[in-house]
Amino acid sequence: MKNAEENNNYRIAVPSAFETVFSHFYFAENKTTFPITKTLLPSFQTILVFNFGTKSYLKSQQNHFLEVEKCVLLGPIKQAFDYTLEPNSEILVANFKEDAFYRFFGNALFDSLPIHPDDLINENCFTLLWDELIKLPDTKDRVDYILDFCKPYLREQTAITTLLNDFQNENINPIKAIASQINQTERNIQLNQKKIFGYTIKEANRYERFLKAVNQIEKDILEECKTDWLTIVDKCGYYDQSQLIHDFKYYMNISPTKYLKFQSDICSSKMD
């Protein structure tokens, strides 16, 4: 997501002590005199957005608009949405990793409807946090402050969560394998997956297939190669081209060819 006119937009890595909590932070500001709109790819991550300047706006595929005043939670992000940075707007985004949102809040969100984090805990902790962050002019200092803020609230990973996170064998059903390993029912493992991550294994597998297609398209762009859709269908595990088109329309509300055309206006919250 590189645009010189935005003046500043970059990712911020997190210390190793927090690598199971946040994938990264993201900062962007608009120092121009006109609004800048981007499309955020689905990431299946939950994000916490702090706004420190002019109000920013989110727009869903259903054309619902939301003003971001101080802070808002959104996720797990299962479909693309547009966001607009108005002139003099400035955002800092924390990207929760895997089960980290559950470890922090004690429950997971199950759709992308925006919510103020204080509404989840019935306290004004995050409003007070924003009041402290606005006093810090340096983005790195703000990130460090957020990391210190979250330390006392983080719960340890459960045994089931650790197994779900570490399960890498794509040729075996992780639900079935973990259930057998710890002598629990598959239904119980499925319920824990949904409760802790906010999405099912089936949803995650479908998204990973879509992400493979996106990465292949981006690779073709970088290598200045013509995109061969049949090759993408074969490499990424699609039955046919219509299934590929269906996934692009589901996640982004556009066709693969339109994604290719407008790719420069689209960014991902996944860490490169």
Side-chain angles (χ1 to χ4, degrees), residues 15-52:
S16 58
F18 291 91
E19 63 186 8
T20 64
V21 183
F22 302 105
S23 61
H24 65 289
F25 283 75
Y26 175 76
F27 172 82
E29 63 181 349
N30 179 7
K31 293 298 185 182
T32 72
T33 57
F34 53 87
I36 295 174
T37 297
K38 295 284 185 179
T39 298
L40 182 70
L41 273 176
S43 64
F44 274 60
Q45 289 177 282
T46 298
I47 62 174
L48 174 59
V49 183
F50 292 97
N51 189 72
F52 299 111

Side-chain angles (χ1 to χ4, degrees), residues 202 209 229-230 232-245 247:
K202 184 177 180 180
R209 181 182 63 185
W229 298 113
L230 292 179
I232 289 178
V233 165
D234 182 56
K235 278 188 175 182
C236 302
Y238 284 96
Y239 295 122
D240 52 31
Q241 196 165 339
S242 65
Q243 191 184 29
L244 172 69
I245 293 169
D247 266 11

Side-chain angles (χ1 to χ4, degrees), residues 19-252:
E19 63 186 8
T20 64
V21 183
F22 302 105
S23 61
H24 65 289
F25 283 75
Y26 175 76
F27 172 82
E29 63 181 349
N30 179 7
K31 293 298 185 182
T32 72
T33 57
F34 53 87
I36 295 174
T37 297
K38 295 284 185 179
T39 298
L40 182 70
L41 273 176
S43 64
F44 274 60
Q45 289 177 282
T46 298
I47 62 174
L48 174 59
V49 183
F50 292 97
N51 189 72
F52 299 111
T54 306
K55 292 177 184 177
S56 302
Y57 296 89
L58 307 177
K59 177 188 173 186
S60 71
Q61 288 191 9
Q62 293 74 35
N63 291 323
H64 296 147
F65 286 86
L66 170 78
E67 284 187 2
V68 181
E69 295 187 21
K70 292 185 177 181
C71 55
V72 68
L73 281 166
L74 192 72
I77 301 171
K78 299 178 183 178
Q79 291 181 302
F81 66 86
D82 293 340
Y83 68 94
T84 300
L85 296 175
E86 294 289 340
N88 297 314
S89 63
E90 179 183 330
I91 61 171
L92 178 63
V93 183
N95 295 267
F96 287 97
K97 192 173 181 180
E98 296 162 343
D99 67 321
F101 183 85
Y102 175 85
R103 290 170 59 196
F104 195 90
F105 287 95
N107 60 293
L109 298 177
F110 297 106
D111 53 46
S112 297
L113 292 176
I115 187 172
H116 194 289
D118 286 345
D119 292 340
L120 290 180
I121 55 178
N122 297 317
E123 296 180 28
N124 63 345
C125 293
F126 284 87
T127 299
L128 295 175
L129 173 61
W130 183 91
D131 289 339
E132 293 302 314
L133 294 174
I134 195 69
K135 300 174 186 175
L136 303 173
D138 184 74
T139 302
K140 185 181 182 303
D141 290 341
R142 287 175 175 171
V143 169
D144 290 341
Y145 196 98
I146 293 169
L147 295 177
D148 284 338
F149 172 83
C150 77
K151 280 180 184 177
Y153 303 102
L154 278 173
R155 299 169 177 84
E156 292 295 321
Q157 284 187 336
T158 66
I160 291 177
T161 304
T162 302
L163 288 169
L164 286 167
N165 271 334
D166 294 343
F167 209 98
Q168 300 296 324
N169 192 333
E170 296 180 2
N171 296 319
I172 299 175
N173 182 335
I175 298 296
K176 186 174 183 178
I178 292 170
S180 175
Q181 183 175 338
I182 63 176
N183 197 27
Q184 291 195 17
T185 65
E186 291 183 35
R187 178 62 176 161
N188 188 49
I189 304 300
Q190 287 173 336
L191 289 173
N192 273 277
Q193 164 76 29
K194 180 77 173 179
K195 174 185 174 184
I196 294 169
F197 291 84
Y199 51 84
T200 65
I201 289 289
K202 184 177 180 180
E203 286 179 301
N205 288 341
R206 180 184 179 187
Y207 166 70
E208 288 298 328
R209 181 182 63 185
F210 164 75
L211 196 60
K212 282 183 183 179
V214 168
N215 290 337
Q216 184 60 50
I217 292 170
E218 291 178 350
K219 182 181 177 183
D220 290 342
I221 292 170
L222 287 173
E223 295 177 355
E224 298 182 349
C225 298
K226 183 178 179 180
T227 298
D228 185 333
W229 298 113
L230 292 179
T231 298
I232 289 178
V233 165
D234 182 56
K235 278 188 175 182
C236 302
Y238 284 96
Y239 295 122
D240 52 31
Q241 196 165 339
S242 65
Q243 191 184 29
L244 172 69
I245 293 169
H246 180 74
D247 266 11
F248 266 83
K249 289 188 174 178
Y250 173 78
Y251 287 116
M252 300 193 64

